[in-house]
Amino acid sequence: MTRLVIRGGTVLDQSGERRADVAVEDGRVTEVGSSLSGDQTLDAGGCIVAPGLVDLHVHLREPGREDAETIETGSRAAALGGFTAIVAMPNTEPAQDSLAVIEFVRAQAKRAGLCDVHPAGCITMNREGKALAPFGELAAAGVHLFTDDGNGVQDPQLMRHALEYARVLDITLAQHCEVTALTKGAVMHEGSCCSHLGLPGWPAIAEELMVHRDIELSRLTGARVHLLHLSTARSVELVRTAKADGLAVSAEATPHHFTLTDELLAGYDAVYKVNPPLRTAADLAAIKAGLADGTIDAIATDHAPHSPESKEAPLDQAPPGMLGLETALALAIGELDMPLADIVAALSWKPAAIARIGDLHGRPVAAGEPANLVVFDPSATWTVVPAKLASKSRNTPYAGRAMRGQVRHTLLGGDPVVIDGTAQR
Ligand code: DOR
């Protein structure tokens, strides 16, 4: 049995920070201490050794849009970004509303062997908002998170029924908060910038109404609701109040919503088109404050690969979405005014708990625990070069941007799938 030692780093987990080497054998951490030796050594000098990152919101595009991403290329991007587990969104073609599609995604991910992939189930069949998906069957097969992401469930009666089932089945429903009657034809945030550019607007209230509705439905049914990619100041405030009321509500925010604003659309470049849209500087500040005080539990990327051809279409026809997996950690380190431990919490053990995979991911770095780990240098600097990304698509809004914080190694079940910033398969 090979003994691998991660040497010379600072361990950071739920119990704080300490200088220590970490020994890994047969998929588990077997020793944390000083001057450890082994058959293989990974240098962690100047680095943080932490539980692997967990992303609640990734579009892998397979099955259906393998021109933009595959489970293998998306898993590689995840591993390079420091993620050991990701939740795969169900807006595939066909959608993840049956056991057959869920099992297909799991099998492809296992074959790639780069990252644990947990496919989310749909709330409604084909994400059409009409008939509920077979929750019972999917829950029995280990699906814990259900969402129609890309679409919000518009019908409040259907959402209420979905939550009543969810409570009984002990599953979580994740909502894409968008009242579509208010966003028809919308291209960007509704505000002074969009009027100036003459583009149809996506008003903040379209998100906030559904955030409010689902908080109240969670209060009524007692079911867990996770609110996807919050983008407005008022949404953050609504979640803050819901948490103060003790409701079973959690929330996430994306790196793009805490780093970019609507003014970037001034050049009509579709790389900045995303759903929900980039908002104002005041909204961005509220998202940051929500992350800092824990109102927003998790940083999730909404990694949304799109082919170059589709993103080159005129702004009103181009699909919304941006890449996120390979830049998330650096953006969090560089842009959030938060202690590193809180950043890692929002990227690791807090999302692991929401995804209900906290038995394997986001674990303390301690003897006996599964060796799902990330080793990153918080002060290393690098520049985003789209052609060098592992994702099959190139739609990053951060091309040419200087970053601080770089993943050095990622271990999945003890297997070093990334060594010195290079994927091993
Ligand atoms: O920008 C987005 N892109 N938002 C979504 O909700 C869906 C996603 C996609 O699938 O491209």
Side-chain angles (χ1 to χ4, degrees):
M1 188 169 37
T2 312
R3 178 172 152 105
L4 182 152
V5 170
I6 304 167
R7 187 178 289 158
T10 299
V11 170
L12 186 162
D13 63 8
Q14 293 86 328
S15 59
E17 278 187 37
R18 58 224 169 262
R19 291 295 295 269
D21 298 342
V22 178
V24 172
E25 288 164 81
D26 201 18
R28 291 197 175 261
V29 173
T30 49
E31 209 179 340
V32 179
S34 54
S35 308
L36 302 185
S37 56
D39 315 302
Q40 187 185 357
T41 303
L42 293 178
D43 175 33
C47 287
I48 297 292
V49 183
L53 310 184
V54 175
D55 191 345
L56 291 168
H57 199 140
V58 177
H59 298 275
L60 291 173
R61 302 294 187 227
E62 185 181 354
R65 290 308 305 261
E66 293 84 352
D67 57 322
E69 195 77 286
T70 65
I71 291 167
E72 183 187 331
T73 58
S75 299
R76 190 171 293 118
L80 286 162
F83 294 93
T84 54
I86 57 179
V87 174
M89 288 289 118
N91 59 341
T92 48
E93 298 163 19
Q96 290 167 194
D97 59 12
S98 70
L99 202 48
V101 180
I102 297 278
E103 295 292 13
F104 168 80
V105 173
R106 287 176 173 165
Q108 290 294 84
K110 204 159 193 173
R111 186 168 312 149
L114 286 151
C115 184
D116 280 354
V117 175
H118 298 271
C122 296
I123 296 177
T124 69
M125 292 306 291
N126 202 29
R127 302 168 46 252
E128 285 171 354
K130 293 183 185 143
L132 294 184
F135 290 167
E137 186 189 11
L138 299 181
V143 179
H144 301 304
L145 208 62
F146 291 74
T147 177
D148 278 358
D149 183 58
N151 296 338
V153 178
Q154 303 298 309
D155 180 346
Q157 173 74 330
L158 191 66
M159 192 61 195
R160 178 184 176 178
H161 281 154
L163 286 165
E164 281 160 352
Y165 281 113
R167 190 178 57 76
V168 174
L169 292 167
D170 193 26
I171 57 177
T172 304
L173 301 191
Q175 188 68 281
H176 168 115
C177 296
E178 174 181 1
V179 174
T180 50
L182 290 165
T183 61
K184 290 211 162 53
V187 165
M188 66 175 294
H189 172 65
E190 179 185 287
S192 56
C193 190
C194 103
S195 334
H196 182 67
L197 296 171
L199 291 169
W202 198 129
I205 191 72
E207 174 173 305
E208 293 149 1
L209 280 178
M210 199 172 280
V211 168
H212 175 68
R213 183 198 76 178
D214 284 5
I215 286 171
E216 292 309 315
L217 287 176
S218 172
R219 192 192 307 272
L220 180 74
T221 60
R224 279 192 303 277
V225 168
H226 177 68
L227 300 164
L228 300 167
H229 45 47
L230 291 190
S231 68
T232 84
R234 181 78 188 120
S235 292
V236 179
E237 196 45 45
L238 288 165
V239 173
R240 190 173 282 122
T241 308
K243 288 194 164 183
D245 287 352
L247 301 184
V249 169
S250 59
E252 64 179 43
T254 70
H256 47 271
H257 287 113
F258 65 71
T259 56
L260 307 173
T261 58
D262 59 341
E263 285 153 14
L264 289 162
L265 271 300
Y268 299 93
D269 186 344
V271 81
Y272 299 111
K273 182 178 176 186
V274 66
N275 191 15
L278 301 179
R279 304 244 184 229
T280 66
D283 292 308
L284 185 151
I287 297 289
K288 282 185 168 182
L291 281 164
D293 73 7
T295 299
I296 302 173
D297 305 81
I299 297 167
T301 64
D302 196 1
H303 178 83
H306 289 288
S307 68
E309 304 79 68
S310 64
K311 272 295 196 184
E312 276 156 20
L315 201 50
D316 59 334
Q317 288 156 42
M322 11 180 104
L323 302 184
L325 286 166
E326 294 172 78
T327 47
L329 176 64
L331 290 165
I333 290 172
E335 303 291 332
L336 294 175
D337 189 17
M338 284 165 61
L340 196 52
D342 291 353
I343 288 174
V344 176
L347 276 163
S348 180
W349 52 90
K350 288 167 89 177
I354 292 167
R356 314 281 295 287
I357 54 171
D359 54 335
L360 279 179
H361 295 271
R363 301 295 305 166
V365 183
E369 295 289 356
N372 294 312
L373 301 168
V374 61
V375 180
F376 64 92
D377 183 341
S379 23
T381 53
W382 58 288
T383 302
V384 181
V385 179
K388 286 193 181 164
L389 297 174
S391 172
K392 212 167 173 184
S393 290
R394 296 285 165 257
N395 54 310
T396 173
Y398 304 108
R401 181 162 168 151
M403 298 274 176
R404 181 163 59 82
Q406 192 169 36
V407 172
R408 194 179 288 180
H409 319 297
T410 306
L411 277 78
L412 177 68
D415 181 8
V417 289
V418 172
I419 298 179
D420 289 326
T422 304
Q424 300 302 296
R425 56 174 75 102

